[in-house]
Amino acid sequence: MPATRLTKGLRFRIALVMTVMLAALLGVLNFYPAQAVRRLIINSKEADLLERARTLATELEGFATLNQENINVSMQVLDLGEDQRILVTDNFGSVIYDNAKASTLAGRYTLLPEIVSALSGNDVFHCRYGEEAFVSSAAVPVMNGRATLGSVYIYDYDTAQADFLRSTQRNIFQISMLLAVIGFVILVAFMVYFGKRTTMLIDGIRDMSAGNYDSRIQISGQDELAEVAYEFNLLADRLQKTEEVRREFVSNASHELKTPLASIKLLSDSILQTEGISKESVAEFLQDINEEIDRLTRITERLLQLTKLDHVPPSAAEDCDLNTLVEKIGELLRENAFQAQVTLEDQVPQGLKVHFDKDGLYQVVFNLMENAIKYNRPGGKVTIQAQKQENGELVHLQIQDTGIGMAPEELPHIFERFYRVDKARSRERGGTGLGLAIVSDWLQVLGGKIQVESVLGQGTTFTVTLPAARPPEEDSL
């Protein structure tokens, strides 16, 4: 799927979610504040009307009976004003007083629900909000002891508070729209910003999947996408390094395999194309072909050993008798040493054990001893020594030769695969350039270490550090 299509789809989903959230926020901003203001006005109306009604009812409770005269006196004393309609009824609901100048209800019976409830001894308030005004009413009983003399009813029609509420709602809506516009602008900016960064990330991943390990993602900042880009770049660095090592390894392996194959091809063509070739010449050519096949076999075996190192389990370590192992390898290499006129001197103490992978330890010691013989001088010597450290946790194994040695600038490279100090001489002696690489890899995988000291023309000493085997009493704890 193209990156732009994927990014657009992701941005669309995020924009949809953000739009829904913004719409919900606008609804909340418009509904709850308006409802709060409306409730505040109604509560204020309730407190005001009930207080006025109770004040008048308290004033009228001092009279034995209710009539037009004493109600007028009380209204003048209290100065309740004429902005609200006030009714006073007797205990049967007949209106005794009505401050309305037109359409007066005086002398009539009224059965308004609020008055009926007040005559039953209850304080009553009711309010509703229309499009133009708050319509409110309150009623309280007029008591004389436990007897109900009548009721006071107040009716209020307030357009000013309704205008205020509508104005408040309008202001809240305008503020909400302003916030919506600001939020939308921020959302668009975020989507553009997020889309660019996501596109950069996807393009980098696509380049990597296409094999372009030089690709890097340049995303600044401290957010999650920047962290993903940083981790991606680290992964790209590791993959690039691995790819370079792989290419170099394939190139070197191909070159090493090509040389003996080319020699075999040349020798076999010489036999086939030479007329009347003697048996002695054929035998000589076949001997050379056999040597090249042996060399090809050694290279293949070493490559397989390097492959095996990627699958060595950590639990493969066991207690190994170092002296027994060195003696066994010495017997195998005795003929090589004899032909090279090199003396093997085994100084490893009896019973010295290390805790290591047995096959790995064999490869390490065999390769080091073989190299010490191969690159020695006629009449030279190879000395194998081993001793425990003072703390008893490590064992140092030294393999020292009196051979050709190496220059200081060669030492950092000798553990690289296919590296040879003297390429021509190494080929003559059957070297593959993999022996020390195998030694280094085995030790690195299984927790050992190796150091090398060499003087050109005098010899080389390899020191291998291995974990010592634990005494039996420690194993039983």
Side-chain angles (χ1 to χ4, degrees), residues 210-226:
N212 182 14
Y213 298 112
D214 294 332
S215 176
R216 297 295 183 273
I217 301 176
Q218 304 298 330
I219 296 182
S220 59
Q222 301 294 327
D223 59 4
E224 289 77 5
L225 287 180

Side-chain angles (χ1 to χ4, degrees), residues 298-341:
R298 287 194 300 272
I299 294 174
T300 305
E301 289 176 349
R302 295 294 175 87
L303 290 174
L304 291 175
Q305 289 176 6
L306 287 174
T307 303
K308 180 182 177 182
L309 285 174
D310 296 332
H311 306 283
V312 175
S315 60
E318 58 181 294
D319 289 349
C320 305
D321 190 310
L322 197 55
N323 177 264
T324 302
L325 185 69
V326 171
E327 287 182 353
K328 180 180 179 180
I329 295 174
E331 290 297 325
L332 293 175
L333 295 175
R334 189 72 61 185
E335 181 63 25
N336 293 15
F338 176 77
Q339 293 183 3
Q341 302 178 29

Side-chain angles (χ1 to χ4, degrees), residues 150-179:
S151 66
V152 175
Y153 173 84
I154 300 179
Y155 174 84
D156 181 67
Y157 187 85
D158 191 347
T159 57
Q161 294 286 10
D163 291 340
F164 172 75
L165 179 59
R166 286 194 298 272
S167 175
T168 301
Q169 289 177 320
R170 185 167 52 253
N171 292 336
I172 291 174
F173 177 76
Q174 292 174 351
I175 294 173
S176 300
M177 291 304 298
L178 178 61
L179 292 176

Side-chain angles (χ1 to χ4, degrees), residues 238-306:
R238 291 193 292 269
L239 288 176
Q240 185 177 17
K241 184 176 180 180
T242 302
E243 180 64 14
E244 291 174 355
V245 172
R246 185 190 67 81
R247 289 178 180 176
E248 182 180 0
F249 178 80
V250 171
S251 176
N252 291 335
S254 300
H255 177 75
E256 294 298 326
L257 292 173
K258 179 181 177 181
T259 301
L261 288 173
S263 298
I264 292 172
K265 175 65 175 175
L266 179 63
L267 292 170
S268 61
D269 286 344
S270 298
I271 294 174
L272 294 174
Q273 295 174 8
T274 303
E275 297 182 359
I277 187 171
S278 62
K279 292 184 178 180
E280 291 79 5
S281 297
V282 171
E284 183 178 351
F285 281 133
L286 290 177
Q287 179 64 30
D288 292 340
I289 290 174
N290 188 59
E291 291 178 357
E292 293 298 326
I293 291 174
D294 290 341
R295 182 181 171 198
L296 188 61
T297 301
R298 287 194 300 272
I299 294 174
T300 305
E301 289 176 349
R302 295 294 175 87
L303 290 174
L304 291 175
Q305 289 176 6
L306 287 174

Side-chain angles (χ1 to χ4, degrees), residues 24-35:
L25 178 61
L26 287 176
V28 171
L29 288 176
N30 279 278
F31 179 77
Y32 283 103
Q35 288 297 314

